Amino acid sequence: MILFVLEYFWPRCGWVEALFGGIVEKLYRDHGIRSAVVTSCHEPYLPLLEHHDRGSIWRYKGSRKTFWLTVLRSLVHNPERTQNVTCVYTSTFVAWFIWWIIAQYLKKPCILTVHELFGSWWEIIKPGFMWQVFKRAEKLLLRLPFTHYHVVSHASATTLISRVPSIAFKHSVVYNAIDYDARNDTIIWTEMRKQLSAMYCLDGKKIFMYVGHCGRSKGIDILLDAWEQRSPHHPDTILICNLLPSDARNATHARILSWPTKNQIITFLGMTKNELLAKVCLADCIIIPSRSEGFGIFAAEASALKKDLIVARTSALPEVVSGNIRRFECWSSSSLITKLDARYQQQWPDEIIPPRHFPWSHTIQGVKQIIDHVTSCP
């Protein structure tokens, strides 16, 4: 049994939850490997214990930043829960050091999934003194001897190895997967698209779209700076923003509502998968202004839907995007404005990249190889 220790899990539907949810399901379906998922009880209505054919979900009360205290105490006092565990699988988010401690306590190998590392960029991403806390925590993380590292892109692997050269011999690059069936344009409701277009008077408009968190790593401040300068000169353009939950979301939404041209931005504070797909299909172009991306799941998904993309020249994005691509210089709103104008005028893209594929079969094969490797080592 694999013990996955995650801040959030199903029914929360962020991309990390989708990734590990798919891994848990397909490890059981394809290889008969059962899993236990230790996670936070992020909604009061959720049961603290669930059993399925593929394994169990153990939810512990507390926020994503504090529930690990309950986890550690529970696993110590309930050893029967972990007696069949063969390895611990966790991720580079809050309280990762506790999962390393749990693995040491269980005397089991521990796999760390590395999404992205920020290093000196923490000073820009986190306000006040908190950047020092996060930078030192990340530095401590890289000092711990995890058994193996599952890295989600070659860009993240390069950063990881540059900071800890010894990891070069115990890491594997395993790309995240995309559910292509769920993103097949033929199954997206045509009627929903028509309703949306009529509801927001979008006929004849040039539609751009952003989906993501509001933290500075995602570069939404660069996008809003560019849009604020450009939108008064192009009243026939619309920006659709789906703002995912984050500490900065309220401030970002308030900034948008204060603009004289706020009627040129349609904001959503989360939406269902079908709603999101319908809105993506409405858009002429998807904007990915991120300062950093460990993988860039939405960029890969938008590429799979054959959407034009404007992306920053940074981290893993060059590995995952395909189709008609326009690249702007990261951190530069003026460079982004140039690319927005180029798409508005339907100029030739900077690159036309052949389709790239990230099927679940490749992801599960890579994860299975990592598990086999760490569990076979003495």
Side-chain angles (χ1 to χ4, degrees), residues 179-337:
D179 186 353
Y180 287 95
D181 290 337
R183 288 162 178 81
N184 186 335
D185 192 30
T186 61
I187 68 170
I188 298 174
W189 300 342
T190 302
E191 189 60 33
M192 179 183 284
R193 296 204 299 269
K194 290 179 180 178
Q195 291 174 1
L196 288 168
S197 184
M199 183 183 303
Y200 296 105
C201 303
L202 299 179
D203 286 344
K205 300 292 180 66
K206 298 288 195 308
I207 303 171
F208 296 85
M209 187 173 187
Y210 169 84
V211 174
H213 297 285
C214 297
R216 290 180 62 83
S217 69
K218 298 305 177 186
I220 191 171
D221 56 313
I222 299 169
L223 170 58
L224 294 183
D225 287 345
W227 199 261
E228 192 171 18
Q229 296 176 55
R230 184 184 180 279
S231 58
H233 307 290
H234 299 279
D236 60 339
T237 57
I238 297 290
L239 176 64
I240 297 176
C241 289
N242 184 33
L243 306 179
L244 303 180
S246 72
D247 294 339
R249 184 168 72 174
N250 289 342
T252 300
H253 195 209
R255 175 184 176 183
I256 292 170
L257 295 177
S258 70
W259 286 357
T261 57
K262 63 184 178 183
N263 61 316
Q264 290 179 247
I265 300 187
I266 302 170
T267 55
F268 297 93
L269 306 181
M271 58 183 77
T272 67
K273 181 167 65 178
N274 277 343
E275 290 171 339
L276 175 60
L277 293 174
K279 290 174 176 66
V280 169
C281 288
L282 274 174
D284 298 298
C285 182
I286 306 298
I287 306 169
I288 313 289
S290 301
R291 290 181 170 92
S292 177
E293 286 285 356
F295 176 75
I297 189 72
F298 187 66
E301 290 174 336
S303 295
L305 286 171
K306 300 180 173 61
K307 286 294 170 181
D308 284 17
L309 267 68
I310 298 175
V311 300
R313 299 179 187 273
T314 187
S315 52
L317 290 176
E319 295 179 52
V320 303
V321 296
S322 59
N324 295 337
I325 307 298
R326 293 173 176 83
R327 302 188 189 278
F328 74 96
E329 297 305 321
C330 188
W331 312 87
S332 172
S333 58
S334 59
S335 177
L336 176 53
I337 289 173

Side-chain angles (χ1 to χ4, degrees), residues 82-102:
T82 56
Q83 61 185 359
N84 294 321
V85 168
T86 55
C87 72
V88 178
Y89 215 121
T90 187
S91 183
T92 49
F93 292 109
V94 173
W96 39 261
F97 62 96
I98 291 298
W99 319 140
W100 180 82
I101 291 172
I102 288 173

